[in-house]
Amino acid sequence: MSGKSLLLKVILLGDGGVGKSSLMNRYVTNKFDSQAFHTIGVEFLNRDLEVDGRFVTLQIWDTAGQERFKSLRTPFYRGADCCLLTFSVDDRQSFENLSNWQKEFVYYADVKDPEHFPFVVLGNKIDKLERQVRTEEAQAWCMENGNYPYLETSAKDDTNVAVAFEEAVRQVLAVEEQLEHCMLGHTIDLHSSSKSGSSCC
Ligand SMILES: Nc1nc2c(ncn2[C@@H]2O[C@H](COP(=O)(O)OP(=O)(O)OP(=O)(O)O)[C@@H](O)[C@H]2O)c(=O)[nH]1
Ligand SMILES: [Mg+2]
């Protein structure tokens, strides 16, 4: 299994202007545009990477955060392996909207088991001096809402951008490994009268 390249779809969600496109572009093209335009609908870019010995093609889907584009973005949520919930540390409202983004994703992606779905939370624009959201508050939200990993990033300064996408991959691989482990645990022994395997999931 470890030799094969895995295609993973990750999706960036969050309010308009928090820096989703900037994070994707920084990661894939290593460029930053200080006058970026709002996204309309969705766009995606691929990047190959290796995480803990696994080769992965990351397909990053960047969505339009503005409310008026809702109907253009939601059809693309299905099939996502990980969701990056993004806010900007200098915009309190974008932090307070994280729950709405999470709900929108779970609904339109039709996530069957939201408690075990890999979400990662990103607090972007940490290069800005005037913050409206403290690190501890964001960490607390993550703890309370599913113990999600929290990373503070700057697409502008390239702080933690690669780390954030690698963390997304790690979260997906962890869920996948857990599933494999459970399936192995449920192997049926045809020669035994009693049921074999554990019930870990
Ligand atoms: N200082 C700073 N500015 C940033 C950062 N990331 C993005 N920006 C700026 O914030 C503005 C919005 O960034 P976008 O990447 O277009 O935001 P978005 O989340 O894609 O917005 P929508 O497409 O409308 O959903 C742009 O002017 C960016 O240059 C960052 O890390 N630091
Ligand atoms: Mg955008």
Side-chain angles (χ1 to χ4, degrees), residues 15-22 25 36-41 43 62-65:
D15 281 10
V18 298
K20 300 177 297 299
S21 303
S22 301
N25 288 325
F37 290 107
H38 283 293
T39 306
I40 299 167
E43 291 166 3
D62 170 34
T63 61

Side-chain angles (χ1 to χ4, degrees), residues 25-42:
N25 288 325
R26 169 60 81 189
Y27 185 56
V28 179
T29 66
N30 200 18
K31 289 190 179 126
F32 176 76
D33 179 1
S34 59
Q35 312 266 296
F37 290 107
H38 283 293
T39 306
I40 299 167
V42 297

Side-chain angles (χ1 to χ4, degrees), residues 132-151:
Q132 292 186 359
V133 184
R134 286 181 297 115
T135 305
E136 299 73 28
E137 282 179 274
Q139 284 170 335
W141 189 90
C142 290
M143 282 289 283
E144 283 160 24
N145 285 276
N147 207 8
Y148 305 142
Y150 174 60
L151 289 143

Side-chain angles (χ1 to χ4, degrees), residues 61-181:
W61 289 69
D62 170 34
T63 61
Q66 289 183 304
E67 182 57 27
R68 62 193 165 123
F69 297 129
K70 183 174 175 179
S71 62
L72 294 181
R73 65 175 179 257
T74 50
F76 295 91
Y77 294 4
R78 274 175 187 268
D81 296 295
C82 179
C83 178
L84 295 162
L85 295 170
T86 312
F87 71 97
S88 173
V89 296
D90 74 334
D91 175 2
R92 176 128 210 119
Q93 191 60 51
S94 70
F95 172 65
E96 284 169 6
N97 283 340
L98 285 181
S99 298
N100 295 334
W101 285 108
Q102 187 189 25
K103 282 185 204 128
E104 183 176 296
F105 177 76
V106 166
Y107 181 79
Y108 288 99
D110 198 17
V111 177
K112 301 286 182 236
D113 186 10
E115 276 186 31
H116 295 105
F117 189 86
F119 287 97
V120 174
V121 177
L122 307 182
N124 190 41
K125 305 197 190 181
I126 52 157
D127 58 280
K128 290 217 167 181
L129 298 177
E130 305 226 335
R131 289 180 69 127
Q132 292 186 359
V133 184
R134 286 181 297 115
T135 305
E136 299 73 28
E137 282 179 274
Q139 284 170 335
W141 189 90
C142 290
M143 282 289 283
E144 283 160 24
N145 285 276
N147 207 8
Y148 305 142
Y150 174 60
L151 289 143
E152 298 202 325
T153 58
S154 166
K156 185 180 178 198
D157 290 355
D158 198 7
T159 305
N160 268 345
V161 178
V163 174
F165 287 103
E166 284 161 17
E167 181 58 32
V169 172
R170 282 201 181 88
Q171 291 298 313
V172 180
L173 295 181
V175 172
E176 194 193 67
E177 271 164 28
Q178 207 185 343
L179 279 174
E180 275 173 14
H181 173 72

